[in-house]
Amino acid sequence: MSTTNSSKEFLNNQAENTPTIREKIECYQKIIELDFDDPDVFFNLGNIYSSFDENKSKKYWEMSVQRYAKKIESLKEDASAYLKQSRSAEPPKIELKDTFYEIGQCFYNLGDLYSCLEKYSHASDSYKKSFEMDPDQVNCLYEIALALWNDEKLDESKKYLLEFMERQSHYRAHYLLGLIYARENSVFSALKEFWTCIEHEQDDSDSDYYRALAYNHLGNARLAERYLKRSILRDPENVELMYALITHYEANGEGEKAYQYYERIKAKKNTLEKSK
């Protein structure tokens, strides 16, 4: 392993393990000094800033997109070099399947980035390319379906979602299918999928969040509130969960409860700003 790579690995581990925002940012900035073309570090910085600085977050995500595109072109050149070597007497220096896998991972990460940037048509295209590179990456099918749903392409979304569910059952997929059926006015089918989402949940914050969403569509505001609050307890740094609970309270005319969480978000953002 080169000195640069070992230093980057050390800094990445340090960033993951430190609890303070300032130290995380400092670690990633040091990685940029070592390797300005690393797309992952810009992605991570965008994720950090998304909690309290939308403009910086988008800036770093856009920079990550540019670097992933550059990395994909470089990997394609590696694949082309492999094909040329395979026709010669010399043994190839790289494994083509490994290169395809890396390209697939880059496209998958691009899909995540475009979703963060709400560029959903780009996101679905990227996930499709990732799946072409690595057909074993079944989760691409769900991500394609979700991006298409966000892009208001319901029929195509449903097609990919059902293909995903033929291979894997997951509470998120059942919830999304419930939303699609609801938009199609297939009320019984929608309710069935929301119940299945609840039955397939796991013991973590994300499961609690989707369980709350499903209960909300089933008309049980009390249980929706309970599981949103439990989700926040398990992931107290997740501001998006707090906004989801605020939306729930406002929809149910509980303005005072919503205000309490607005204050919590405000205090958290002030703390993050001071710790930069």
Side-chain angles (χ1 to χ4, degrees):
M1 182 182 292
S2 69
T3 304
T4 298
N5 286 338
S6 60
S7 298
K8 284 172 60 178
E9 184 176 347
F10 173 79
L11 289 167
N12 271 315
N13 290 334
Q14 191 176 349
E16 288 179 13
N17 294 324
T18 181
T20 66
I21 297 297
R22 178 184 296 172
E23 289 181 11
K24 287 181 184 292
I25 292 173
E26 286 176 354
C27 288
Y28 290 133
Q29 293 290 358
K30 288 177 182 177
I31 294 174
I32 289 173
E33 292 175 7
L34 292 170
D35 184 359
F36 191 68
D37 289 325
D38 185 338
D40 295 330
V41 67
F42 290 97
F43 198 169
N44 291 333
L45 280 169
N47 292 340
I48 290 173
Y49 279 109
S50 66
S51 298
F52 59 95
D53 192 327
E54 184 178 348
N55 290 331
K56 276 192 176 180
S57 178
K58 287 184 176 179
K59 181 188 79 171
Y60 281 116
W61 283 335
E62 292 283 6
M63 292 173 78
S64 182
V65 166
Q66 294 168 9
R67 281 152 182 79
Y68 271 118
K70 183 177 178 180
K71 185 175 180 179
I72 288 169
E73 290 305 311
S74 175
L75 288 167
K76 286 180 178 178
E77 289 177 6
D78 289 345
S80 177
Y82 173 93
L83 293 172
K84 289 178 181 178
Q85 285 179 342
S86 65
R87 299 190 196 103
S88 68
E90 295 182 27
K93 296 179 181 179
I94 59 172
E95 289 289 338
L96 191 60
K97 61 181 176 61
D98 293 337
T99 303
F100 282 168
Y101 174 79
E102 283 193 63
I103 294 172
Q105 285 298 112
C106 287
F107 275 121
Y108 191 92
N109 292 339
L110 269 177
D112 287 348
L113 280 162
Y114 283 130
S115 293
C116 290
L117 292 165
E118 298 182 359
K119 297 180 179 182
Y120 298 117
S121 62
H122 291 306
S124 59
D125 287 343
S126 296
Y127 289 128
K128 287 175 184 178
K129 289 174 183 175
S130 177
F131 190 61
E132 287 174 10
M133 294 290 106
D134 184 9
D136 291 331
Q137 182 68 280
V138 177
N139 197 52
C140 284
L141 295 169
Y142 169 77
E143 298 296 347
I144 293 167
L146 181 59
L148 290 167
W149 160 264
N150 285 319
D151 203 26
E152 296 290 329
K153 296 177 180 177
L154 271 62
D155 290 340
E156 195 178 356
S157 173
K158 185 178 180 181
K159 183 190 78 170
Y160 280 99
L161 187 59
L162 292 174
E163 186 178 348
F164 169 78
M165 295 174 77
E166 286 177 3
R167 308 187 192 194
Q168 184 176 326
S169 181
H170 194 278
Y171 58 88
R172 284 187 174 192
H174 287 288
Y175 176 73
L176 180 55
L177 187 56
L179 292 180
I180 292 172
Y181 281 137
R183 287 283 293 273
E184 293 176 345
N185 293 318
S186 301
V187 178
F188 179 78
S189 295
L191 295 177
K192 181 181 175 182
E193 293 302 324
F194 292 138
W195 276 117
T196 305
C197 168
I198 292 168
E199 292 166 359
H200 280 65
E201 58 86 25
Q202 300 169 25
D203 192 25
D204 56 35
S205 175
D206 190 65
S207 291
D208 285 339
Y209 172 69
Y210 277 89
R211 195 172 189 175
L213 295 178
Y215 273 124
N216 186 60
H217 283 283
L218 291 167
N220 195 325
R222 181 178 61 83
L223 286 178
E225 177 191 11
R226 176 192 296 179
Y227 285 103
L228 277 174
K229 291 174 76 172
R230 196 166 85 166
S231 181
I232 292 170
L233 282 173
R234 294 183 175 194
D235 188 5
E237 300 303 315
N238 194 323
V239 174
E240 290 184 7
L241 291 176
M242 293 186 196
Y243 277 121
L245 186 55
I246 287 170
T247 301
H248 172 81
Y249 283 140
E250 290 179 339
N252 288 279
E254 298 180 278
E256 290 185 10
K257 289 183 178 180
Y259 179 76
Q260 291 174 11
Y261 278 90
Y262 272 122
E263 287 297 303
R264 285 180 61 175
I265 291 172
K266 182 179 177 181
K268 185 175 290 294
K269 287 189 174 184
N270 287 339
T271 301
L272 291 171
E273 284 285 351
K274 291 176 182 177
S275 68
K276 286 193 297 180

